[in-house]
Amino acid sequence: MTAIPPTSPLPIDNSCRLPLFTLFGGAAVWLALSSGFGLIATLKFHAPAMFANCASLSYGRAFPAWSHLLVYGFCLPAGLGVGLWLLARLGRVELAQPWLIAVGAKLWHLGVLVGLIGILAGQSTGFEWFELPRAAAVILFLAFLLITMWGFVTYTRRTQASLYPSQWFVLAALLWFPWIFSTATLLLQIFPVRGLVQASVAWWFSGNLINVWLTLAGLASTFYVLPKLTGRPLQSHYLALFAFWTLMLFGTWTGIPAHAALPAWMPTLSGAARVLMLIPALTVGASVILTCRGVKTPCAGGPLCYTKFGAACLVLASVLLAISACPQVSRITDYTWFDHGQNTLRIYGFFAMTMFGAIYHIVPHLVGPDRVCPRWMRINFWFVMPGTLLLALPLVLGGVAQGLKLVDASVPFVAVAKSTLMALRISTLGETMLALGNLIFLFNIVGAIVSYYCSVGKAAYTEATALEPARVKA
Amino acid sequence: MNAEAKQPSPVRPESEPTSAATTVPMWLIAGLLGLLFLGAWYFDARGGWFEAKVYAPYLSLADVQRFQPRTGGPEDVILRGKVLFEQNCALCHNPDGLGKPAQAPPLAGSEWVLAAGVNRLIRIPQLGLSGPIEVKGQVWNLPMAAMGVAYSDDDLAAVLSYIRNAWGNKASIVAGEQVKKVRAELGGRNQPYSPDELKKEAE
């Protein structure tokens, strides 16, 4: 809370460059690929015969490939990259062992690739958001540890002793993932527990991953980018603290769906926790509004815009989560498109958007300010923002309509399935816009990295050639 | 490294964000407490207090037990009999005890079921029945297997008590002791009775 004299970020940025390029570059590639699979999956609703003779591209594999690449390919590396940057910048210290972190990042991408191949080959585990086969899970775990370790070393070496809220969120995220991921891997893949216990472990894991981990990593960025770009102090330390503890306290219980065939206390507790998740969400909303109040900084499709939209989606998704926890509502929305819509709103609308904002804020520091074209960054925003809404909201509304028909015994099942087609059509449109937006993101990020290395190479070349005559004379 | 030092990152010093010390507004705390209260109430109402046997739609252990057949007073015996009847006899005699055409005669209002003594009745599920039988003025001639032979004394008594007291039937409860006595009398017999032979036994 005390003012700290500005420091030159140059050495810090230099130390972050290699690992962040590796994390962000890979994330951008996986994200674009993930939308490719997403498109294939959603097109199956309209043209079921498409790729019908290719088992790897059947819905049952394309859909898990989409979710696997989205979460493990994009979300985690992006969140890690932003987290490492925050630890270095806020600790006013160079990143520890950037080379080893880069190796960890490569290992991570290898794990994602192994997982993707496994899923396409039909080796998916069948647990939602945890489809990757065992080998991939082990690689990802080791890679995460390698990266996290140096994140913690960076943290302990910090020269700025007092902590800024974003740092708590990053540290919690760095600890949270190994905990939940190792538990899920051990209990589902290595020493599988029996029967329904498997389902409860898988639900617990995915609830923690999506409702807690993504929120921790996303908010670390929100709480940094907003005050940084608006030039105002974060409102406030205590609001952030409140959101931090309530999020972890309630979020970890949220996974079990209302109609799970488990002893009643499990879904009931989960339902209560999902309603309580309103508290951190509203806190974040209040904090964002108070921080940005009266700020004249233009938003204009830049990082600020992405971050604010992300926060709005977090609040909206949390409201939907809370509503669907009420038994009267879940009676209708369970087993429909509703949950999927809510999840996509959270993953794309909140997390991915927040990460886009953070990455568009960070990358210019690494490559130089003029290498990311602001116009293309804006265009990217105008693809992914409407794309997200068109993807998620029809699923949410269509899910309600579908549920109302499902509980009506006089409507045949096929009629129910057919009636969701309109919502699916709109969401296919949204998925297409998102895919285009993700391609633009890929070109922006990879373009910036490539153009940076080109200029470094050119500079080295001119330097070398400029020395030549001098040496000759000597 | 030399080349990197020349890269065009902004070299001017940058300050990192700070956070203000405004406290958490009262409405958030009130909201938290309100939702906590609601959550606790909701859990109390439906959570079954961590009881592993309670599944939705049941609300508590007491709720589950209310629907369990128990052994105790006559109502409990009849409840237990209902469960067994619906598992084993209802297939032919129908859950409403009215029987099924060309499959099994009715039990509701049947003079065989409502007889004052149960000496004959016990023998029917114990050994089965074949041969022409008149029930409520209609003659049936179909075989019935020994559907009750595997029951314990108490369970067979419970089924019979149930059919004697369901669907408007009203007759005495059958005791496990009575079943035991009849079974002892039958010795090793495993051939089904015919209704005519049955009539020779005491009621």
Side-chain angles (χ1 to χ4, degrees), chain B residues 85-98:
Chain B
F85 177 85
E86 281 168 1
Q87 280 168 2
N88 287 302
C89 321
L91 197 64
C92 300
H93 291 284
N94 223 38
D96 59 9
L98 292 179

Side-chain angles (χ1 to χ4, degrees), chain A residues 89 224 228 234 236-237 264 463, chain B residues 2 14 16 18 20 22 54:
Chain A
R89 271 297 186 103
Y224 177 85
K228 177 92 180 175
L234 175 71
S236 68
H237 181 84
E463 198 174 335
Chain B
N2 192 20
E14 259 185 69
E16 297 298 344
T18 54
T22 340
V54 180

Side-chain angles (χ1 to χ4, degrees), chain A residues 1 6-7 10 13 17 89 92 164 224 228 233-238 261-265 268-269 276 279 365 369 463, chain B residues 2 4 7-9 13-22 24-25 28 31-32 35 42-43 46-47 50 54-55:
Chain A
M1 275 172 274
T7 44
L10 191 57
D13 292 354
R17 187 169 298 115
R89 271 297 186 103
R92 276 76 167 176
Y164 179 76
Y224 177 85
K228 177 92 180 175
L234 175 71
Q235 301 289 338
S236 68
H237 181 84
Y238 294 107
L262 292 170
W265 66 268
T268 310
L269 212 55
L276 280 159
I279 295 298
H365 287 87
E463 198 174 335
Chain B
N2 192 20
E4 279 197 18
Q7 58 78 45
S9 179
E14 259 185 69
S15 51
E16 297 298 344
T18 54
S19 52
T22 340
V24 177
L28 262 176
L32 173 65
L35 287 183
Y42 175 67
F43 182 77
R46 315 177 133 245
F50 303 106
V54 180
Y55 283 63

Side-chain angles (χ1 to χ4, degrees), chain B residues 183-200:
Chain B
R183 280 182 165 169
E185 268 173 40
L186 285 174
R189 172 170 178 162
N190 54 14
Q191 285 308 301
Y193 273 98
S194 73
D196 292 334
E197 191 188 355
L198 207 49
K199 278 201 186 123
K200 295 190 192 115

